[in-house]
Structures are given as structure tokens and as C-alpha cells.
């Protein structure tokens, strides 16, 4: 029985997201590598500051890659750029695995980060450009789900190697080598997937664009009315963008609607780090030690935390195109802030010296609740929202900028946290308790709902919509509405409808 078009498109999105498995694995595995006695001996017993650099240099590499990845994706295509990112990642992973000293490890971490940064930006970009409007959220939130898969694998492999191979080089080299496994099939077989039809259209390869749309959305039937209408819609949009967008970088920063969208993407990525998620990821041993939980048990608890994250991410994939984007971001930030308020109170009242097991268990429960809300509402949408709000001409370079905001803010938290723990202790958590509420207010005030809309209508939507969203009168689109219009031959550029509606 042949796959339905949506099932085929979804599977293409799953395969493209293999790079996100490497992202999640690398984030998760470093916590079990750094405490290894053999690793510390090999790298010259690095200080806490150098340990922080080992962990966070990957983020600087990812940030650096976003300088060129947008331009490369526009020049040679989405798939070939994924191959380049995969090769860079494999070089970095090899250097980490074979590291003989601290310098080699740091170099490997930076190069690995360059590959991860490229793959993390390209996966949702590609997914958004091949998706039906009704499942675009489901495809683009796969990024966080596959990241969660990688983190889950890392947590159990890290726990097993840390306890099962004490004192051996394999205790840390084996976990670092395994991160390269998902990248190999991605690099080898990505060219078997269809190229982005919107990129093909931008390059003037109209016949290939039509054939790709048919392959994705009509089981290869190029005469299907849905496909023909979608083709004409994208073609008209790209031609309009070509006339209006002479210099992409200038247009991003000088056109009000473009700059607004750019700022929304950057704000969203920065807000993710201000929930405190990276503090929990990177510094869980120190955090749990402050409540009386040892490092061995911490790694086990983090393994269960990874399972909870995966469950939350699965909920998001299943429901994001029903829930939308705006209200999950608002509710998720409020919930994450509440968990930090409660967790901060527990640490402040019951420090490790009081040896209160009930308080320790309650704190662990707060981190699990936080992780569920973050994984089901905040994390996935931080990648899904930016890639769907730009037009084809600006999408790759704009999302490279928004992704770079994710990496640099992540690096900021990784560097600021050790001295913050040392100087202010539990009071540091108040930052995230407060910022969750301020994030929620920002989402409520500035972020409009985008579910169900075609990528080709986002220019008009953001041009006509006021900056302050709550009192704006605009249509919340049913997730199937635009597809029904396409099936009936209603093209955006031949049958104009306004994204804004009156009462």
C-alpha cells in the first residue's frame, strides 16, 4: 500500500531531523564525560572554568556556523548544505573522540558545534518548506523531539559508561564516538529526499519544483489541482519577492515587516534560555548536590528526565497544529516560572546540610514538571515559529540569525552560571523564576498566531498586523482551511484574501 502524501512528507521530515539527534546527544553526553577521571587526566585536570569552556565551546562553534549557513543554503540548496554540515560534524566528533590533550578536545568541540549549528538550523528550514500547512507545525517541532531522542540515548549511555567502565579511556571515548552514528546515514542518503520546492523555484528550476511538489503532495501527479494551485502560488510569491528583495541582508534590517519578524525570532530564542533550561542541562550535578543528591543518582534522575522530555515533545508534535503556537508559548513560560519559584523555595529552606529527603524528592519533581512543560510547549516552538514567518527570499538567512541568537544566549548562560552559583547560590534561580513570567508577557504582547497559514501569505500578514497583538483583529486560521482552498484552485495571488478581518 503506497504512503499517503502527508505520511511521505512527514517521513522526509523525520529523516532530515537525524541531525537533531546528534545535537541532543552532544548536549546530554558532556555531563557524563567531564567527571571521568581518565578524561580529566588526559586533558590535564582542567579547572571549573575550563570545564565550562569545554561544555560551551560547542555553542560558539554553532554560532560561528550561522554566519555563512544561510547564504550557503540559498546558494547550493538545503540538502547539499546538510551534507556539508554532516561532514564538519564528523570531523569534530573524530577530534573529540581521539583527543590527546585539552587543546585537541577544545578544537573538536568547536568544529562539532559548527556542524551542529548548521544541521539544527537546516532541519526545520527544510521541513517548513516541504510541509502541507496543516502539518507544518508537526514537522518543524520534530527538531526538538529528535533532540530529545538524542538526549535520552546520551543519558543512558553516559550513565552506563560512567559506572561500567571506571578508570578506562573507553569511559568517555566510547560515548563521544557514538554521537557520530546518526550523522552517517544522514550524510549518505539525504540526496535521496526531494529538494525544497521553494528553493528550486527561487533558482528558476520550475519543472523540478513542480515535480517535487507533486512527489510530496500528490504521489507524483503533476496534474493534481492542489499541486498546480500550490505551484502557481509559490511561483507568484517568488517572482514578487525577486522584484522587491534586491539585497536580502538590507531588506531584513530596513523593511519594517522583515525586521519585526527578525526581532520576534531573536527574542524567542533568547527567551528560551531565560527559562533556565540550559542551567538544568549543564549543571545538574551541582544543582542536585545543593539539595543533597550525589552525582551518580543525578545521572540516573536525568535519564528519567529525558524520558519525560520525550513524552512532552511527542505531545507537542501531535497537538501543535491544533493548539497553535501563541498560547502554548504563553502557558509554557508561566508553568516553567512557577516550577522555578517552588524549586527555589525548596533549595533556600532545605539545603543539603539539612538532609531532608522529602524536600529533595519535591525538588526533583519540580525539575520533571518543568521539563514536561518546556518540552511540550517552549522548546519545540522556538525552532518551529521562526522558520514559518519569513518569505522564501529571506527565510534561510533570517533563520540563521535567529538560530545564532539561540547559540549565543546558550553560551552566555553556560559562562555566567558557574560564577553565579559560587557567589549568590540559590538566589541565581530567581532570575529564571522572574524571566518565565516576563517571557509569557512578551509572547502575549508581541507574538501572533501563525498556525494553518501558507508560507506565501506571511508577508501580508505581518505587514498589516499591528505590533501589539492582543487587541488586533485578525483571523485565526483553521489548520485545514488553506489546503481546502488549494484543492479548489484558490491561489493566494489570483484570489486575494486579507489576513486581517474585522468584527
Amino acid at each position: 500500500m503506497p504512503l499517503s502524501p502527508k505520511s511521505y512528507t512527514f517521513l522526509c521530515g523525520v529523516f532530515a531531523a537525524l541531525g537533531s539527534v546528534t545535537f541532543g546527544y552532544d548536549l546530554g553526553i558532556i555531563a557524563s564525560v567531564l567527571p571521568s577521571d581518565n578524561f580529566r587526566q588526559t586533558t590535564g585536570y582542567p579547572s571549573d572554568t575550563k570545564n565550562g569552556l569545554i561544555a560551551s565551546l560547542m555553542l560558539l562553534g554553532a554560532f560561528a556556523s550561522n554566519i555563512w549557513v544561510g547564504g550557503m543554503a540559498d546558494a547550493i540548496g538545503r540538502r547539499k548544505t546538510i551534507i556539508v554540515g554532516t561532514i564538519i560534524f564528523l570531523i569534530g566528533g573524530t577530534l573529540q573522540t581521539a583527543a590527546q590533550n585539552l587543546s585537541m578536545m577544545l578544537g573538536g568541540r568547536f568544529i562539532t558545534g559548527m556542524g551542529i549549528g548548521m544541521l539544527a538550523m537546516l532541519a526545520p528550514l527544510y521541513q517548513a518548506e516541504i510541509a502541507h500547512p496543516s502539518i507544518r507545525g508537526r514537522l518543524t517541532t520534530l527538531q526538538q523531539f529528535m533532540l530529545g531522542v538524542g538526549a535520552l540515548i546520551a543519558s543512558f549511555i553516559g550513565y552506563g559508561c560512567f559506572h561500567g567502565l571506571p578508570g578506562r579511556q573507553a569511559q568517555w571515548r566510547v560515548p563521544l564516538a557514538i554521537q557520530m552514528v546518526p550523522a552517517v546515514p544522514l550524510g549518505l542518503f539525504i540526496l535521496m529526499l526531494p529538494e525544497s520546492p521553494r528553493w528550486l523555484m527561487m533558482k528558476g528550476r520550475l519543472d523540478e519544483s513542480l515535480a517535487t511538489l507533486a512527489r510530496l503532495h500528490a504521489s507524483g501527479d503533476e496534474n493534481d489541482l492542489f499541486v498546480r494551485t500550490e505551484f502557481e502560488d509559490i511561483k507568484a510569491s517568488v517572482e514578487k519577492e525577486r522584484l522587491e528583495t534586491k539585497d536580502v541582508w538590507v531588506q531584513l534590517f530596513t523593511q519594517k515587516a522583515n525586521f519585526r519578524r527578525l526581532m520576534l525570532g531573536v527574542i524567542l530564542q533568547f527567551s528560551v534560555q531565560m527559562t533556565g533550561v540550559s542551567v538544568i542541562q549543564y549543571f545538574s550535578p551541582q544543582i542536585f548536590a545543593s539539595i543533597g543528591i550525589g552525582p551518580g543518582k543525578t545521572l540516573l534522575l536525568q535519564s528519567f528526565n529525558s524520558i519525560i522530555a520525550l513524552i512532552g515533545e511527542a505531545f507537542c508534535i501531535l497537538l501543535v497544529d491544533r493548539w497553535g503556537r501563541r498560547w502554548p508559548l504563553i502557558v509554557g513560560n508561566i508553568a516553567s516560572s512557577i516550577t522555578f519559584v517552588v524549586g527555589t523555595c525548596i533549595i533556600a529552606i532545605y539545603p543539603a546540610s539539612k538532609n531532608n529527603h522529602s524536600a529533595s524528592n519535591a525538588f526533583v519533581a519540580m525539575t520533571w514538571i518543568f521539563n514536561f512543560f518546556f518540552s511540550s510547549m517552549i522548546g519545540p516552538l522556538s525552532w518551529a515559529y521562526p522558520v514559518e514567518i519569513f518569505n522564501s527570499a529571506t527565510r534561510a538567512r533570517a533563520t540563521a540569525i535567529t538560530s545564532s541568537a539561540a547559540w549565543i544566549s546558550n553560551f552566555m548562560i553556560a559562562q555566567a552560571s558557574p560564577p553565579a552559583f559560587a557567589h549568590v547560590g540559590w538566589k541565581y534561580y530567581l532570575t529564571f523564576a522572574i524571566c518565565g513570567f516576563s517571557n509569557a508577557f512578551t509572547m502575549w504582547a508581541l507574538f501572533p498566531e501563525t498556525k494553518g497559514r501558507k508560507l506565501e501569505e506571511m508577508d501580508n500578514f505581518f505587514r498589516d498586523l499591528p505590533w501589539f497583538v492582543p487587541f488586533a483583529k485578525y483571523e485565526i486560521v483553521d489548520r485545514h482551511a488553506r489546503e481546502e482552498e488549494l484543492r479548489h484552485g484558490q491561489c493566494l495571488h489570483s484570489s486575494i484574501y486579507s489576513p486581517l478581518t474585522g468584527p
Side-chain angles (χ1 to χ4, degrees):
M1 181 178 178
L3 288 171
S4 69
K6 286 186 180 180
S7 297
Y8 173 73
T9 303
F10 184 79
L11 290 176
C12 289
V14 171
F15 188 81
L18 277 177
S20 302
V21 177
T22 65
F23 177 18
Y25 185 93
D26 194 271
L27 283 175
I29 204 63
I30 199 67
S32 65
V33 168
L34 293 177
S36 167
D37 290 335
N38 186 272
F39 174 82
R40 290 180 55 75
Q41 181 183 1
T42 302
T43 53
Y45 298 98
S47 63
D48 288 344
T49 301
K50 288 182 179 178
N51 272 336
L53 187 61
I54 292 171
S56 59
L57 203 59
M58 181 272 284
L59 304 170
L60 279 186
F63 175 78
S65 72
N66 279 262
I67 295 171
W68 70 75
V69 66
M72 182 181 291
D74 280 344
I76 66 173
R78 298 0 181 179
R79 297 178 305 168
K80 289 181 181 178
T81 310
I82 287 174
I83 292 175
V84 174
T86 300
I87 293 170
I88 292 173
F89 173 80
L90 290 172
I91 293 170
T94 301
L95 287 173
Q96 286 188 76
T97 303
Q100 301 298 310
N101 50 52
L102 179 61
S103 297
M104 192 171 174
M105 173 57 63
L106 292 174
R109 292 291 292 168
F110 185 83
I111 295 172
T112 298
M114 290 168 62
I116 286 175
M118 294 177 70
L119 296 175
M121 175 266 183
L122 289 163
L125 173 70
Y126 175 79
Q127 291 159 344
E129 292 185 340
I130 67 172
H132 299 72
S134 66
I135 63 167
R136 189 174 61 241
R138 189 176 300 174
L139 257 71
T140 52
T141 53
L142 278 169
Q143 165 96 325
Q144 191 77 19
F145 179 79
M146 300 299 271
L147 188 157
V149 170
L152 177 65
I153 295 169
S155 63
F156 283 103
I157 288 177
Y159 180 80
C161 290
F162 185 81
H163 291 282
L165 300 169
R168 305 179 192 177
Q169 290 190 24
Q171 186 183 38
W172 60 276
R173 293 194 192 274
V174 169
L176 287 176
I178 290 173
Q179 71 179 316
M180 294 183 281
V181 172
V184 174
L186 178 64
L188 289 176
F189 301 118
I190 187 65
L191 289 180
M192 296 177 66
L193 271 60
E195 181 54 270
S196 161
R198 288 171 170 85
W199 180 81
L200 291 169
M201 187 75 74
M202 287 169 59
K203 294 300 180 181
R205 294 156 63 174
L206 304 187
D207 291 342
E208 291 177 68
S209 179
L210 177 60
T212 300
L213 284 170
R215 180 179 171 188
L216 287 165
H217 297 167
S219 302
D221 182 4
E222 295 184 15
N223 295 314
D224 181 85
L225 182 58
F226 180 98
V227 168
R228 300 296 305 194
T229 308
E230 187 178 27
F231 174 80
E232 293 299 330
D233 212 8
I234 297 172
K235 180 182 176 183
S237 179
V238 167
E239 289 175 352
K240 178 174 177 286
E241 291 161 15
R242 187 175 288 119
L243 292 173
E244 295 180 355
T245 311
K246 301 299 183 184
D247 189 319
V248 173
W249 292 115
V250 172
Q251 296 295 326
L252 276 174
F253 290 94
T254 58
Q255 282 194 359
K256 290 182 179 179
N258 285 336
F259 185 70
R260 173 189 182 180
R261 285 175 277 183
L262 193 63
M263 287 298 97
L264 289 179
V266 169
I267 289 168
L268 179 56
Q269 292 289 13
F270 262 96
S271 74
V272 169
Q273 296 309 314
M274 299 317 296
T275 63
V277 63
S278 292
V279 173
I280 296 174
Q281 280 180 331
Y282 297 147
F283 303 103
S284 53
Q286 298 95 307
I287 293 171
F288 285 122
S290 68
I291 201 70
I293 300 173
K297 187 177 180 181
T298 294
L299 289 175
L300 183 61
L301 290 173
Q302 285 298 87
S303 299
F304 288 112
N305 210 8
S306 297
I307 295 174
I308 292 169
L310 209 57
I311 293 170
E313 287 149 7
F315 266 98
C316 185
I317 289 172
L318 292 172
L319 298 172
V320 64
D321 289 307
R322 295 178 184 271
W323 289 348
R325 288 60 159 151
R326 173 177 161 79
W327 279 102
L329 284 170
I330 296 169
V331 172
N333 274 286
I334 292 172
S336 71
S337 192
I338 291 171
T339 62
F340 257 94
V341 169
V342 176
T344 302
C345 292
I346 292 171
I347 290 180
I349 298 170
Y350 301 104
S353 58
K354 293 197 174 182
N355 198 30
N356 189 309
H357 295 295
S358 295
S360 298
N361 292 335
F363 182 81
V364 170
M366 286 301 105
T367 64
W368 286 358
I369 294 170
F370 166 87
N371 205 18
F372 177 80
F373 277 100
F374 178 87
S375 300
S376 61
M377 298 184 178
I378 303 172
L381 290 172
S382 70
W383 299 101
Y385 195 87
V387 295
E388 69 180 8
I389 60 177
F390 296 98
N391 62 38
S392 296
T394 60
R395 188 175 298 113
R397 301 182 199 202
T399 52
I401 294 173
T402 61
S403 296
S404 69
W407 304 120
I408 201 65
S409 58
N410 204 321
F411 179 79
M412 175 190 73
I413 293 295
Q415 292 301 298
S417 295
F421 283 131
H423 290 92
V424 297
W426 63 265
K427 297 181 183 69
Y428 180 48
Y429 304 123
L430 293 173
T431 303
F432 309 108
I434 294 168
C435 283
F437 288 116
S438 64
N439 286 348
F441 176 79
T442 302
M443 306 304 160
W444 173 80
L446 301 180
F447 284 69
E449 183 55 70
T450 55
K451 76 176 179 74
R453 294 185 181 277
K454 292 185 287 186
L455 298 178
E456 284 66 43
E457 67 182 282
M458 292 300 178
D459 274 352
N460 289 342
F461 179 63
F462 279 94
R463 184 195 62 206
D464 297 340
L465 190 71
W467 273 75
F468 189 69
V469 172
F471 304 127
K473 297 174 181 177
Y474 68 99
E475 178 189 9
I476 304 297
V477 178
D478 179 80
R479 66 193 181 105
H480 295 295
R482 295 299 188 246
E483 289 179 22
E484 287 302 313
E485 291 168 0
L486 289 171
R487 288 191 184 94
H488 289 87
Q490 296 179 28
C491 176
L492 173 64
H493 292 276
S494 60
S495 177
I496 297 295
Y497 47 77
S498 171
L500 307 183
T501 57

